[in-house]
């Protein structure tokens, strides 16, 4: 079995061609190259040691990336265009591979690996990495969230839903993944409605908005959970020929979505917030569901003021909280803030909504089972409003007086 020094020498020799290029093109001086070799040798001996830690690999990666940034900066200054930039990326990938092989149970290491692959736009590599990570850590919500949001980012909501649904089957002990799944659906609804309203007087139906929102699926954005990690274009699947292409493309394409189908799609429950509400309903049956989880859902839904179905979704969540936790501080807090959802602070509707919220606050302080907990939540909410610039003086005075009164209740 080779020793640590022999292994370190092996990896150092693999970097020799790039170092010779640095010297030939005078990107680094001989003294700098000697210093680079010594530093890299120290890192190699560190990560090859028997009791190496994941942070050692991350430190090594950060040094390699800083070296590559310095190389790129000097190449721009010296106007050198033909350098081996891919060599540094390949070496960083190699370090990450050794790291996750040595410490496969370290999730932050996998996340850093995925972040690097995403930064350099290595889409296929990212797919293989996240597949391996999810196989090793199927109950980690952050990895499922990353996979789902990456698919949604590329416009593939069908695959994003598949990742979130599979993750929710594994992650039943915490609300984080479920909330992110609902957030992703709300973002999709917001994009759909933005596309429908785009164009001024020109009406855009739901089908056109969905087509504009869901971008064409790019090669490499698919994450397949099978035993074959090959990069074949069809992944072993048979592809039927296109009859229109064989006939020269002269044959008119059939109209898939007629007016009746488009009308049905516009009336689909999915476009009226049915999916986020279904996610919330199923989460109520999970063991993690409590007042904190319900309030997290409420706060997340409240942040999407551009979604037309927000009022219905908010009321749905609030009704569930009132049924299960009628006098809890979290339920009362959501009831108090409900009139102010979607109302801008500087608009004329805000004073009226604030009046309704303060009336609910006075009533809730008398009926809640946790008066101090509710007062503490309200103080935090009022402070978030007071930091708004150019707030009306009368509104500020009322809020400051209410805050003072609540703080006295907490201190009592």
């Amino acid at each position: 079995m080779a020793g640590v020094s022999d292994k370190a020498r092996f990896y150092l020799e693999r970097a020799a061609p790039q170092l010779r290029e640095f010297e030939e093109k005078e990107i680094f001086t001989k003294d700098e190259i000697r210093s680079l070799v010594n530093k890299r040798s120290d890192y190699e001996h560190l990560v090859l040691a028997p009791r190496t830690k994941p942070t050692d690999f991350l430190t090594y990666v950060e040094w390699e990336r800083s070296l590559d940034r310095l190389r790129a900066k000097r190449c721009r200054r010296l106007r050198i265009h033909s350098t081996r930039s891919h060599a540094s990326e390949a070496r960083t990938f190699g370090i990450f591979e050794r790291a996750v092989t040595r410490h496969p149970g370290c999730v932050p290491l996998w996340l850093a690996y995925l972040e690097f692959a995403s930064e350099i736009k290595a889409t296929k590599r990212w797919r293989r990495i996240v597949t391996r990570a999810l196989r090793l850590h199927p109950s980690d919500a952050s990895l499922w969230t990353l996979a789902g949001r990456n698919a949604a980012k590329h416009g593939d909501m069908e695959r994003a839903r598949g990742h979130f649904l599979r993750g929710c089957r594994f992650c039943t002990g915490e609300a984080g993944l479920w909330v992110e799944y609902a957030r992703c659906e709300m973002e999709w609804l917001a994009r759909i409605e933005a596309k429908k309203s785009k164009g001024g007087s020109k009406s855009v139906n739901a089908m056109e908005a969905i087509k504009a929102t869901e971008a064409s699926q790019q090669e490499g954005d698919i994450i397949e959970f099978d035993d074959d990690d090959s990069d074949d274009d069809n992944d072993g699947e048979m592809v039927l020929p296109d009859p229109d292409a064989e006939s020269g493309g002269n044959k008119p394409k059939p109209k898939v979505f007629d007016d009746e189908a488009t009308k049905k799609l516009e009336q689909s429950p999915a476009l009226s917030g049915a999916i986020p509400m279904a996610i919330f309903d199923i989460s109520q049956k999970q063991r993690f569901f409590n007042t904190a989880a319900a309030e997290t859902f409420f706060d997340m839904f409240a942040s999407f003021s551009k979604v037309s179905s927000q009022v219905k979704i908010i009321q749905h969540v609030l009704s569930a909280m009132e049924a299960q936790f009628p006098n809890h501080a979290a339920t009362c807090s959501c009831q108090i803030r409900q009139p102010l959802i979607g109302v801008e602070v500087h608009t004329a509707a805000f004073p009226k909504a604030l009046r309704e919220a303060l009336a609910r606050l006075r009533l809730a302080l008398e009926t809640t089972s946790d008066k101090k907990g509710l007062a503490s939540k309200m103080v935090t909410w009022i402070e978030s409003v007071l930091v708004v610039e150019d707030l009306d003086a009368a509104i500020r005075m009322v809020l400051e007086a209410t805050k003072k009164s609540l703080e006295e209740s907490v201190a009592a």
Side-chain angles (χ1 to χ4, degrees):
M1 183 175 178
V4 173
S5 298
D6 295 333
K7 292 180 180 179
R9 188 179 303 109
F10 168 76
Y11 289 111
L12 291 173
E13 289 175 354
R14 297 179 65 178
Q18 188 184 40
L19 296 177
R20 283 195 292 267
E21 183 185 22
F22 289 165
E23 184 178 2
E24 292 171 359
K25 296 182 178 180
E26 298 181 352
I27 300 174
F28 293 98
T29 63
K30 290 185 178 181
D31 291 338
E32 289 175 331
I33 292 173
R34 191 177 298 108
S35 176
L36 293 179
V37 172
N38 293 333
K39 190 69 173 177
R40 186 171 286 158
S41 176
D42 293 339
Y43 277 119
E44 285 294 343
H45 282 82
L46 179 64
V47 299
L48 290 171
R51 296 184 179 180
T52 181
K53 297 177 291 185
T55 53
D56 297 334
F57 286 97
L58 292 176
T59 305
Y60 190 9
V61 166
E62 183 57 34
W63 181 81
E64 284 287 354
R65 297 185 69 181
S66 65
L67 174 62
D68 189 57
R69 289 192 292 268
L70 179 60
R71 177 204 58 79
K73 184 177 180 180
R74 291 194 178 184
C75 286
R76 285 194 299 269
R77 188 183 65 191
L78 299 173
R79 297 181 180 179
I80 300 174
H81 303 289
S82 57
T83 58
R84 299 183 181 183
S85 59
H86 64 277
S88 177
E89 295 174 357
R91 187 161 46 255
T92 304
F93 272 126
I95 297 171
F96 270 122
E97 278 296 324
R98 292 154 59 191
V100 296
T101 303
R102 191 78 175 268
H103 303 282
C106 183
V107 175
L109 205 54
W110 287 102
L111 293 175
Y113 195 2
L114 289 167
E115 182 182 359
F116 173 70
S118 177
E119 183 177 330
I120 65 172
K121 296 180 174 58
T123 311
K124 284 188 177 182
R125 192 69 173 259
W126 194 96
R127 177 193 66 184
R128 294 197 296 268
I129 297 166
V130 78
T131 302
R132 291 166 54 197
L134 287 172
R135 284 172 174 171
L136 288 169
H137 305 280
S139 60
D140 190 272
S142 61
L143 292 173
W144 288 110
T145 302
L146 193 61
R149 297 197 70 85
N150 182 74
K153 177 183 176 182
H154 290 87
D156 191 356
M157 278 302 298
E158 181 180 358
R159 192 163 296 278
R161 291 183 181 118
H163 294 323
F164 278 116
L165 287 171
R166 180 173 291 192
C168 287
R169 287 199 294 268
F170 288 102
C171 305
T172 58
E174 56 182 10
L177 181 62
W178 297 74
V179 173
E180 288 301 321
Y181 183 17
R183 189 194 308 276
C184 186
E185 290 291 348
M186 293 294 289
E187 290 173 353
W188 180 74
L189 288 174
R191 291 197 299 268
I192 292 294
E193 296 191 6
K195 291 293 182 181
K196 289 174 67 176
S197 61
K198 190 177 181 180
S201 60
K202 183 180 178 181
S203 60
V204 180
N205 60 39
M207 191 63 228
E208 293 174 350
I210 292 174
K211 286 182 178 179
T213 303
E214 296 192 358
S216 59
Q217 185 174 305
Q218 300 177 359
E219 181 185 4
D221 291 337
I222 307 174
I223 302 176
E224 298 289 350
F225 292 91
D226 52 13
D227 294 332
D228 186 11
D229 289 338
S230 62
D231 290 333
D232 296 339
D233 292 338
N234 300 327
D235 291 334
E237 297 181 359
M238 297 181 64
V239 180
L240 296 178
D242 186 1
D244 296 337
E246 294 180 356
S247 61
N250 298 324
K251 184 178 179 180
K253 295 183 177 180
K255 189 175 182 180
V256 179
F257 289 93
D258 53 11
D259 295 336
E260 183 178 356
T262 302
K263 186 177 180 180
K264 289 182 179 179
L265 183 62
E266 290 178 344
Q267 298 174 353
S268 171
L271 297 179
S272 59
I275 298 179
M277 287 191 293
I279 297 170
F280 175 76
D281 289 342
I282 299 174
S283 70
Q284 296 181 56
K285 303 175 184 178
Q286 309 303 318
R287 58 181 179 178
F288 64 78
F289 190 80
N290 52 22
T291 54
E295 190 174 16
T296 303
F297 272 103
F298 182 90
D299 293 337
M300 184 273 295
F301 289 136
S303 63
F304 290 91
S305 58
K306 299 293 180 65
V307 177
S308 59
S309 57
Q310 184 199 40
V311 176
K312 181 174 69 174
I313 298 173
I314 288 290
Q315 185 57 50
H316 180 77
V317 175
L318 198 54
S319 298
M321 294 180 69
E322 291 171 349
Q324 298 187 44
F325 319 105
N327 295 320
H328 196 276
T331 303
C332 295
S333 172
C334 295
Q335 290 173 334
I336 294 166
R337 292 182 286 127
Q338 184 186 17
L340 294 164
I341 294 175
V343 181
E344 294 293 335
V345 177
H346 297 102
T347 59
F350 186 79
K352 182 179 179 180
L354 181 61
R355 190 181 305 114
E356 173 66 21
L358 293 178
R360 294 188 180 189
L361 173 60
R362 287 191 293 271
L363 181 62
L365 287 173
E366 298 176 358
T367 59
T368 182
S369 58
D370 186 6
K371 187 175 180 180
K372 289 187 177 181
L374 176 60
S376 178
K377 288 178 179 291
M378 289 296 97
V379 168
T380 304
W381 169 72
I382 291 174
E383 288 176 347
S384 67
V385 179
L386 290 175
V387 297
V388 177
E389 297 181 359
D390 301 329
L391 185 64
D392 184 78
I395 294 176
R396 183 178 294 277
M397 183 176 64
V398 171
L399 290 176
E400 287 177 349
T402 305
K403 177 186 174 183
K404 183 178 179 181
S405 176
L406 291 172
E407 288 175 341
E408 291 175 354
S409 299
V410 174

